[in-house]
């Protein structure tokens, strides 16, 4: 079949599909922890996603006769890969344009993530049977470079057009794609939890907040002590206006009230050389912040003047401005001062709740 004037060679298309999927996957993962200065992650993710669909279109056009002529295992995997990639693109674009999910309890943004996660293993299965790297001459050929560059420019233009349309349809969207919901409404914003976290309500009478680790004196504070300094608490309450941006696709801005983490660290005599503070939920869910950032964070007991509900982290939750929602640990029972980072916290976020307890976002 004759190639289109702007179509790269077959091997360049195949290599482009592989690179696009890897970049899309990497930027998708990075977006989970994106900060306000990380907007470029979402730009790259969107441009590469749109470019990937064009590359898959070239691929499907090339193999269409094989698809129509015989239904082999390789052909079936190729078709599945195309369907998953297009579905991931459609759900992502539909979300930014304000569409609602057809699946109850799961946003289109979450569906987009699930579909995108399925693309990589299917692609690897496909490549194991068919992939051949382009030779150096093909890669360095000027026409091939121009065609690939043209595809990226086209993807960027399509992404910019999509953003403009989405901005008109959903003006309250953030750079993360999240849409405003429930701001300034007390506990009336969405209740979501990361993966399987869904614990039973915490018994405040039996609960305590422990400050431990690299400290001069460990603290154990009851709910009454946390709420009122004259009941034995180490510090007065403080207020923070902060925006919670959940990875399931919504954001909500509130006035939070609670205890400043830095005050707790001072009261416990935290080691000034300790580099991290880890916040642990009653469920085992945990997340760490650098000490300098953690000191400014809040352990909130109230939102917009209301006592936190169970779904939002009663008796207290972490409020970490600039961090994504799953890092705002709920149902906090321990503040641990550490010298070293905690890479295993990612495992804790994935398995917490499957043991019947349930912690974060």
């Amino acid at each position: 079949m004759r190639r289109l004037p702007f179509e790269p060679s077959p091997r360049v298309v195949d290599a482009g599909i592989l690179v696009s999927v890897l970049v899309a996957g990497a930027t998708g993962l990075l977006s989970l922890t994106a900060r306000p200065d990380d907007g470029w992650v979402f730009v790259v993710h969107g441009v590469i996603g749109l470019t990937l669909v064009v590359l898959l279109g070239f691929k499907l056009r090339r193999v269409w006769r094989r698809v129509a002529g015989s239904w082999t295992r390789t052909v079936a995997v190729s078709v599945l890969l195309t369907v998953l990639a297009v579905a991931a693109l459609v759900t992502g674009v539909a979300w930014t344009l304000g569409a609602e999910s057809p699946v109850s309890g799961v946003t289109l943004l979450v569906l987009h993530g699930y579909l995108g996660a399925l693309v990589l293993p299917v692609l690897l299965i496909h490549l194991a049977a068919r992939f051949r790297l382009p030779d150096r001459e093909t890669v360095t050929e000027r026409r091939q470079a121009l065609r690939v560059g043209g595809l990226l420019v086209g993807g960027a233009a399509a992404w910019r057009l999509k953003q403009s349309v989405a901005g008109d349809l959903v003006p309250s969207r953030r750079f993360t794609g999240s849409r405003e919901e429930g701001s300034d409404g007390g506990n009336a914003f969405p209740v979501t939890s990361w993966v399987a976290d869904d614990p039973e309500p915490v018994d405040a009478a039996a609960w305590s907040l422990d400050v431990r680790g690299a400290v001069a004196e460990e603290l154990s504070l009851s709910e009454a002590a946390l709420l009122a300094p004259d009941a034995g608490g180490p510090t007065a309450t403080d207020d923070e206006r902060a925006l919670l941006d959940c990875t399931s696709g919504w954001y909500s801005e509130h006035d939070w009230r609670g205890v400043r983490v830095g005050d707790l660290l001072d009261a416990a005599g935290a080691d000034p050389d300790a580099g991290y503070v880890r916040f642990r939920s009653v469920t085992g869910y945990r997340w760490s912040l650098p000490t300098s950032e953690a000191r400014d964070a809040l352990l909130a007991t109230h939102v917009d003047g209301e006592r936190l509900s169970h779904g939002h982290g009663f008796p207290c939750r972490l409020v970490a401005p600039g961090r994504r929602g799953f890092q705002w640990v709920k149902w906090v029972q321990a503040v641990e001062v550490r010298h070293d980072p905690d890479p295993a916290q990612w495992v804790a976020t994935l398995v917490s709740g499957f043991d019947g307890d349930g912690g974060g976002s």
Side-chain angles (χ1 to χ4, degrees):
M1 178 181 292
R2 184 186 297 274
R3 294 208 308 267
L4 298 173
F6 51 86
E7 182 180 352
S9 70
R11 289 193 177 184
V12 170
V13 168
D14 291 347
I17 291 173
L18 173 61
V19 172
S20 296
V21 169
L22 293 177
V23 173
T27 51
L29 289 174
L30 285 173
S31 73
L32 295 177
T33 57
R35 308 293 292 275
D37 293 336
D38 296 332
W40 64 270
V41 172
F42 297 88
V43 175
V44 173
H45 185 75
V47 171
I48 289 297
L50 292 168
T51 303
L52 173 61
V53 170
V54 176
L55 290 171
L56 286 170
F58 289 149
K59 174 79 172 182
L60 192 59
R61 177 177 176 271
R62 188 174 81 234
V63 303
W64 181 251
R65 290 185 178 178
R66 291 206 303 269
V67 172
S70 61
W71 194 255
T72 65
R73 176 177 175 272
T74 301
V75 168
V77 172
S78 298
V79 172
L80 177 60
L81 174 62
T82 303
V83 170
L84 287 174
V86 172
L89 173 74
V90 169
T91 51
V93 171
W95 171 258
T96 62
L97 297 179
E100 298 298 331
S101 172
V103 182
S104 177
V106 181
T107 66
L108 279 172
L109 190 61
V110 173
L111 283 178
H112 170 73
Y114 288 158
L115 290 166
L118 288 173
V119 167
L120 182 57
V122 175
L123 175 66
L124 294 177
I125 293 171
H126 172 71
L127 293 178
R130 306 290 302 181
F131 184 68
R132 298 292 184 275
L133 280 172
D135 55 43
R136 178 175 297 182
E137 182 178 348
T138 300
V139 172
T140 57
E141 185 182 350
R142 184 170 179 269
R143 283 179 298 178
Q144 297 294 337
L146 289 174
R147 287 166 179 164
V148 173
L151 288 176
L152 291 172
V153 170
W159 177 86
R160 187 68 186 88
L161 176 62
K162 175 181 73 73
Q163 292 296 98
S164 297
V165 173
D168 293 335
L169 294 176
V170 191
S172 60
R173 258 184 353 112
R174 296 192 78 221
F175 74 96
T176 59
S178 295
R179 306 195 299 237
E180 190 279 329
E181 190 168 348
S183 294
D184 297 312
N187 286 291
F189 62 99
V191 174
T192 58
S193 290
W194 185 254
V195 188
D197 282 324
D198 186 21
E200 295 296 322
V202 176
D203 180 1
W207 172 88
S208 64
L209 176 68
D210 298 327
V211 183
R212 59 198 185 203
V215 297
E217 180 181 0
E218 293 189 352
L219 302 178
S220 185
L221 307 174
S222 66
E223 181 196 20
L226 190 66
L227 293 174
D230 57 5
T235 180
T237 57
D238 206 346
D239 297 288
E240 177 87 14
R241 178 78 176 174
L243 183 148
L244 170 61
D245 190 336
C246 182
T247 52
S248 62
W250 57 267
Y251 75 88
S252 198
E253 191 170 11
H254 301 273
D255 293 314
W256 307 87
R257 186 166 79 246
V259 175
R260 193 67 61 180
V261 174
D263 291 340
L264 288 175
L265 300 185
D266 290 341
D271 185 344
D273 295 326
Y276 298 88
V277 178
R278 183 167 67 187
F279 302 88
R280 183 184 292 272
S281 168
V282 298
T283 67
Y285 189 104
R286 64 184 191 264
W287 196 263
S288 300
L289 297 177
T291 301
S292 57
E293 182 182 353
R295 293 188 66 86
D296 291 329
L298 197 72
L299 285 179
T301 56
H302 292 73
V303 56
D304 297 328
E306 297 179 5
R307 190 71 172 92
L308 281 177
S309 66
H310 164 66
H312 291 310
F314 175 88
C316 74
R317 74 172 300 160
L318 178 66
V319 171
R323 293 279 181 167
R324 300 304 296 276
F326 78 95
Q327 298 167 309
W328 291 36
V329 182
K330 295 195 287 192
W331 311 294
V332 176
Q333 73 169 2
V335 176
E336 301 168 345
V337 182
R338 296 168 51 87
H339 288 94
D340 301 315
D342 178 19
Q345 65 192 6
W346 281 104
V347 177
T349 65
L350 297 176
V351 303
S352 175
F354 286 107
D355 59 359
D357 289 324
S361 115

